[in-house]
Amino acid sequence: MAESYPGVQGAPIQNGVPHVDVISGPLINFKNMHMQPSSAIWHGSVLIVTKPGQPQPPQLHLRQAGPVGDIHNAQVNGGNVPTQQGMVIEGLRLYEDPGKAFWRFSIAIPVENYEARWEYDIPGLQYVEGEPANSPWNFVVPALDQSMRQMFHSCNGFSVGTDMDAWVGPTLWKEVLRVHESKPFHVMIGGGDQLYNDGIRVDGPLNEWTSIGNPHKRRAHDFNNDMRARCDDYYYANYVRWYNTEPFRTANGMIPQINIWDDHDIIDGFGSYTDHFMRCSVFRGIGGVAFKYYCLFQHHIAPPLSTYTTDAPQTMSAVNGTAGADPRQLENTYVLENQAEDDSWIVGKRPGPYVEEKSRNLYMRLGRRIAFIGVDARTERTRHQVNYEDTYDLIFNRLEREVAAANGDIKHLVVLLGVPIAYPRLAWLENILSSPVIAPIRLLNKRFGFAGGLFNQFDGQVDLLDDLDDHYTARQHKKERKMFINRLQDFAKAHSVRVTILGGDVHLAAIGRFYSKPKLGVPTGHDHRFIVNIVSSAITNKPPPKAVANLLAQRNKLHHLDDHTDETMMDFFDQQPGGVEKSASWNKTTMPSRNFACITENDALPTSPEASGATNGYAPKRTPKDGHSPLHRGEEDVGTTHPAADGIGLSDMYGGLDVSIKVEINPQNRDGAAHGYGFSSKLSSTFPSENKGD
C-alpha cells in the first residue's frame, strides 16, 4: 500500500490564503457530457503540479461569466441572464513525492441554452519561477443544442537534431489562440506526440545504453531502480519544461483537452521495432515511466503504484492489469488508490505486450450531435498489430450502447487515430528497405559506422522502417485496417451516422477519403462508405522535405479497399500558403508545413432546400469518374476561397462538418501567421439498405 506523505506546515499565508506554489499548470481537460433531451452536464478537470507539502488542499473557484458574444446576450432571456453563483472545488491529491505533488479539481457544470463562458481561479497561486499568474482563466461550454467546435493537432514538439534556429518554437499556437478568441474552441484534441521525449537517449539517462555497440548486450541490459529513477526524473522534467512553454501553456489553461498518446510520448518508434528487441527491459521500463506521466499530465488520473524494474520482480508482469507495488518506489510517496474508472474510458481487457498496463481508449459526447472515439493505438501495438481484436469489440460495443441511448441525436462520429488510415501506400519503399540489398550496408554500418544516419540506434534496422511499420497502410496491418474501416462503415449504415477520422504523425497536411466506387451509383448523400480522414501534422515539429511531400502526392493512386470501396486523397491545396513555396506547384494533396485543423458542425439554419442536405444539394456539378474528382458539393471550390478556410466562417452545407486546416506561412515568423484552407464534409443521412452494391 502507498503511504501518505505528510504535508509540511508553515507555508506562507497572504490575506488569509496559503500560497499554492505551482510548478506547472493549470491544465484543463474535457471528460464527457452527459446528455438528456432537455438538459446536460459538462464534466472536466483542472490539474496543477505544486511543490510538495502544501499545508492544505488547494481550492479552485469557478463561476459562470455569462454568454459568449453580444449577439447571445440579446437572445437569451431578453438579454437578462441570471448571474450564476460561484462554486468552490477542493483539490484531490493524485500523487506526491519529495519533489512534487499533482492535484486535480473535478468539474461538473450544467449546460445552458446558450454558449457559456466560465471563469476559474486558484486562490494563493504563485509560480515557483516567480512569474505572475495570468488569472483568472476561462473556458467555453457549448449550448445545449450545440455540438462542440474542435481544434485538432499532433506532433507538438521537436525531433532530436532539429535546427532550432530554422524552426522557431511552438509559434503556431499563437494562431490557435487568435482563432479561439474570434470563435472559441470547445475542445482541443491531441492526436499523439503531445511532447517529444526522444532526447532521453541523447542527453538523458539512456545515452550510455544507446551507445552500447553490441545489439545483444543492449537487448540484455537491465533496468534497475536507479535507472528507473533517473528516467522518471527525465520524463517529469521534460513534461514541465514543455507544458510551461508559451504559447502552448496559455492554450492548456483555456481550451479543454482530449488526448491519446503515440510513440514520441514514450520514445521514437516505441512498439514498432522487432518484437525480440521491444521486449528488452529498457523499453519495457521506459514504457512504464512514460505511462505514469501520461496518466498524470494528459489525463489527470492517478498513475500505477509502481513501474517496471528488473530488480523488483513483482513489477515485471502485470497483475490485475497493472505492475505490482515496489516498496522502494513508494517510499515517502503517496499515490491515490481505489478510485472508480472515469466513464470516458474504454479499458482494454489485458496489458499491452511491452507495457504492463491496459490500453485506455476514449468515448465522449462532443455536444448534441457528435460522438467521439479515441483509439489507444500505442499500448497494444507491435510491429504486426495495432490493437487486440477484442479491443475493437469493446469500442464498437460501447458505440452501440451510446448511440442507442442517444435516441437518434448522434449524427456524426469522430474517430481519433495516432496515424492516418487513408494515406498513400509505401509498400514499394518497405520492400526496398527490408530487401537483401540492404544487408551489406547494414554490415558495414555495424563494423565501421558506414551510412550511420540510415540505421536506428536500437535494433540496427533501417531507421525509416519503424515509421513505415507504424502506418495502417503497411503490409502487415493491411488486414486489420480493412476490418476496422468495414466495421466503421457498417456502423455508419446501421445508425445513419457520418464517420470522420482524425490522424496525425506524418508531419504534413492532407485529406483522405473512403467512398463507394462511382460505378455503383450510390447517391453521395446516402453513401455510408464515405469516410473522410483529416490529416493534420505537425503543429510544432518540422515538416518533411518538399521532395518527400511531392513523392507522396505522386503516389496518390486510386486504391481499392474491397469490392465496394475505393480510396484516395483529395486535391485540397489550391495555392501555396502566403505565396511561400512549400511543394511543387502541381502538388495539391500534401502540404509540408506546420499546421492544425479546426472542425465545426454547420448548425446555421439552411437558406434553401439544397442547403438543407437533400441528396441533390450534395451532388457535384459533374458526375465524378473517380476520387480524383470532387465527390460532392462540399469538395468543390475547396482551399483558400472556401467560406470555412479561416477557421471561423461557415459554408451553406447545413448539418455537415466545416473543416479548416491552418498552415504556417513562415517558420521564422514568431507571430505564427498562417494561411487557411477549407472544405465541407457531408452531413449524416439515411443509408437505405437498398443501396446499389450492397
Side-chain angles (χ1 to χ4, degrees):
M1 296 292 290
E3 297 179 0
S4 176
Y5 182 61
V8 176
Q9 302 300 315
I13 295 178
Q14 185 174 8
N15 297 326
V17 179
H19 282 175
V20 180
D21 297 313
V22 172
I23 299 169
S24 187
L27 314 174
I28 184 167
N29 271 20
F30 172 68
K31 292 294 187 180
N32 212 341
M33 281 183 76
H34 293 157
M35 306 288 298
Q36 300 296 329
S38 59
S39 65
I41 301 294
W42 184 100
H43 293 270
S45 61
V46 169
L47 180 90
I48 58 172
V49 186
T50 72
K51 292 174 67 175
Q54 294 297 136
Q56 62 191 50
Q59 293 182 338
L60 181 142
H61 291 189
L62 177 70
R63 73 176 187 90
Q64 192 194 124
V68 174
D70 292 335
I71 187 170
H72 289 285
N73 279 308
Q75 293 174 341
V76 180
N77 295 332
N80 181 24
V81 180
T83 302
Q84 295 279 337
Q85 290 291 324
M87 60 185 76
V88 177
I89 302 167
E90 187 169 285
L92 177 67
R93 185 172 51 161
L94 302 176
Y95 176 88
E96 183 168 353
D97 66 25
K100 67 273 189 186
F102 289 78
W103 300 88
R104 181 184 72 206
F105 306 93
S106 295
I107 298 173
I109 50 180
V111 178
E112 306 288 356
N113 291 321
Y114 51 87
E115 187 179 22
R117 189 179 302 277
W118 290 77
E119 288 186 349
Y120 69 94
D121 201 357
I122 300 170
L125 184 149
Q126 62 176 19
Y127 288 112
V128 296
E129 302 165 343
E131 62 188 76
N134 187 26
S135 61
W137 295 269
N138 70 83
F139 61 98
V140 174
V141 173
L144 185 61
D145 195 44
Q146 189 178 16
S147 297
M148 286 192 174
R149 183 167 139 78
Q150 306 153 54
M151 175 266 181
F152 168 58
H153 69 93
S154 66
C155 301
N156 180 38
F158 290 106
S159 299
V160 171
T162 300
D163 182 353
M164 299 303 293
D165 291 328
W167 301 96
V168 177
T171 54
L172 203 51
W173 285 98
K174 292 183 179 178
E175 177 70 4
V176 173
L177 293 173
R178 281 193 292 268
V179 177
H180 177 68
E181 184 176 1
S182 296
K183 189 172 185 178
F185 295 112
H186 302 120
V187 70
M188 181 166 81
I189 299 173
D193 303 338
Q194 272 67 258
L195 79 170
Y196 278 57
N197 286 312
D198 306 343
I200 194 171
R201 68 174 176 84
V202 176
D203 54 10
L206 295 191
N207 176 266
E208 293 182 10
W209 174 75
T210 309
S211 301
I212 297 173
N214 186 315
H216 299 289
K217 289 183 178 179
R218 206 161 48 237
R219 194 162 62 241
H221 200 284
D222 64 357
F223 190 81
N224 59 27
N225 192 50
D226 176 68
M227 180 176 276
R228 178 210 60 79
R230 288 185 287 125
C231 289
D232 190 288
D233 289 343
Y234 180 92
Y235 279 99
Y236 167 70
N238 199 40
Y239 262 101
V240 169
R241 177 191 66 84
W242 191 250
Y243 276 60
N244 283 0
T245 300
E246 292 288 7
F248 179 48
R249 178 183 195 161
T250 294
N252 285 331
M254 296 175 60
I255 311 174
Q257 302 173 58
I258 301 172
N259 296 316
I260 62 169
W261 67 344
D262 207 32
D263 57 338
H264 295 282
D265 297 271
I266 311 170
I267 197 169
D268 184 22
F270 188 94
S272 288
Y273 298 112
T274 54
D275 180 73
H276 68 280
F277 190 71
M278 280 302 315
R279 293 187 184 277
C280 79
S281 291
V282 170
F283 267 124
R284 294 172 70 186
I286 62 170
V289 176
F291 183 81
K292 170 183 176 178
Y293 288 109
Y294 171 63
C295 288
L296 286 164
F297 278 96
Q298 298 198 40
H299 289 291
H300 306 179
I301 63 171
L305 289 176
S306 302
T307 62
Y308 178 103
T309 66
T310 49
D311 49 5
Q314 68 270 32
T315 67
M316 295 175 66
S317 59
V319 177
N320 296 323
T322 188
D326 178 0
R328 298 168 307 167
Q329 296 184 43
L330 294 172
E331 186 177 0
N332 293 329
T333 296
Y334 169 83
V335 183
L336 179 68
E337 294 185 78
N338 302 320
Q339 290 291 294
E341 290 282 11
D342 194 301
D343 73 350
S344 64
W345 291 122
I346 305 172
V347 181
K349 289 187 175 181
R350 58 192 187 280
Y354 314 130
V355 180
E356 314 309 316
E357 303 296 334
K358 297 178 180 179
S359 66
R360 291 181 175 271
N361 309 277
L362 298 168
Y363 173 85
M364 295 165 179
R365 186 79 171 268
L366 303 187
R368 178 55 64 187
R369 286 169 294 276
I370 300 179
F372 170 86
I373 285 288
V375 179
D376 178 352
R378 190 54 55 181
T379 304
E380 298 172 355
R381 178 181 287 273
T382 71
R383 179 163 270 191
H384 298 284
Q385 106 187 343
V386 180
N387 287 100
Y388 297 140
E389 187 174 344
D390 52 22
T391 297
Y392 290 107
D393 293 337
L394 290 171
I395 290 171
F396 281 97
N397 290 342
R398 176 68 178 269
L399 279 173
E400 291 289 342
R401 295 195 302 271
E402 295 289 348
V403 170
N407 294 317
D409 277 354
I410 294 174
K411 304 299 182 185
H412 292 276
L413 171 63
V414 173
V415 179
L416 175 63
L417 304 176
V419 297
I421 198 166
Y423 200 67
R425 309 294 201 271
L426 295 172
W428 57 276
L429 184 55
E430 290 180 79
N431 291 334
I432 293 173
L433 296 180
S434 56
S435 71
V437 74
I438 292 293
I441 303 175
R442 186 183 294 112
L443 181 63
L444 289 171
N445 169 262
K446 180 178 178 181
R447 293 189 175 179
F448 307 110
F450 176 77
L454 183 62
F455 300 93
N456 70 61
Q457 298 297 306
F458 295 136
D459 62 356
Q461 298 294 318
V462 177
D463 192 43
L464 191 58
L465 268 176
D466 69 284
D467 288 322
L468 295 178
D469 286 339
D470 256 6
H471 282 226
Y472 283 96
T473 50
R475 57 178 177 264
Q476 58 265 38
H477 299 317
K478 185 177 179 180
K479 182 178 179 181
E480 183 176 353
R481 173 181 184 266
K482 180 181 176 182
M483 175 277 298
F484 187 34
I485 292 299
N486 285 159
R487 291 189 73 168
L488 287 171
Q489 291 173 329
D490 291 345
F491 178 82
K493 181 177 180 180
H495 300 287
S496 294
V497 169
R498 180 65 64 199
V499 177
T500 301
I501 297 174
L502 310 179
D505 181 71
V506 292
H507 297 183
L508 49 76
I511 306 296
R513 304 104 85 233
F514 298 93
Y515 51 91
S516 290
K517 293 182 177 182
K519 69 179 183 181
L520 298 176
V522 179
T524 184
H526 298 313
D527 185 7
H528 68 280
R529 299 186 185 97
F530 186 89
I531 297 175
V532 168
N533 185 182
I534 301 168
V535 182
S536 181
S537 167
I539 193 170
T540 297
N541 207 352
K542 65 179 181 180
K546 297 177 186 177
V548 173
N550 293 336
L551 177 62
L552 288 167
Q554 287 178 324
R555 301 299 301 175
N556 182 31
K557 309 297 184 182
L558 291 171
H559 295 286
H560 310 297
L561 179 76
D562 53 34
D563 292 340
H564 306 303
T565 306
D566 281 352
E567 57 179 285
T568 192
M569 292 195 296
M570 181 173 70
D571 287 346
F572 181 51
F573 301 101
D574 59 325
Q575 59 179 267
Q576 299 293 307
V580 178
E581 183 180 301
K582 302 288 186 177
S583 61
S585 59
W586 53 263
N587 181 0
K588 310 296 185 184
T589 56
T590 58
M591 176 57 71
S593 187
R594 300 194 290 190
N595 64 89
F596 67 92
C598 314
I599 304 161
T600 310
E601 183 197 36
N602 192 329
D603 58 359
L605 292 175
T607 56
S608 67
E610 288 78 16
S612 69
T615 298
N616 290 338
Y618 273 103
K621 296 172 184 175
R622 295 180 179 87
T623 302
K625 294 181 179 179
D626 56 47
H628 290 309
S629 305
L631 296 174
H632 63 91
R633 189 163 56 83
E635 292 188 356
E636 292 176 335
D637 303 321
V638 299
T640 55
T641 61
H642 191 276
D646 61 0
I648 298 168
L650 292 174
S651 71
D652 62 352
M653 302 288 283
Y654 176 70
L657 298 181
D658 281 344
V659 178
S660 167
I661 294 187
K662 303 283 283 188
V663 176
E664 182 179 61
I665 298 172
N666 181 358
Q668 294 291 305
N669 182 333
R670 294 180 180 272
D671 199 37
H675 205 139
Y677 301 80
F679 79 101
S680 297
S681 187
K682 297 183 297 185
L683 83 168
S684 56
S685 186
T686 302
F687 302 139
S689 60
E690 61 268 19
N691 278 359
K692 292 183 180 180
D694 290 341

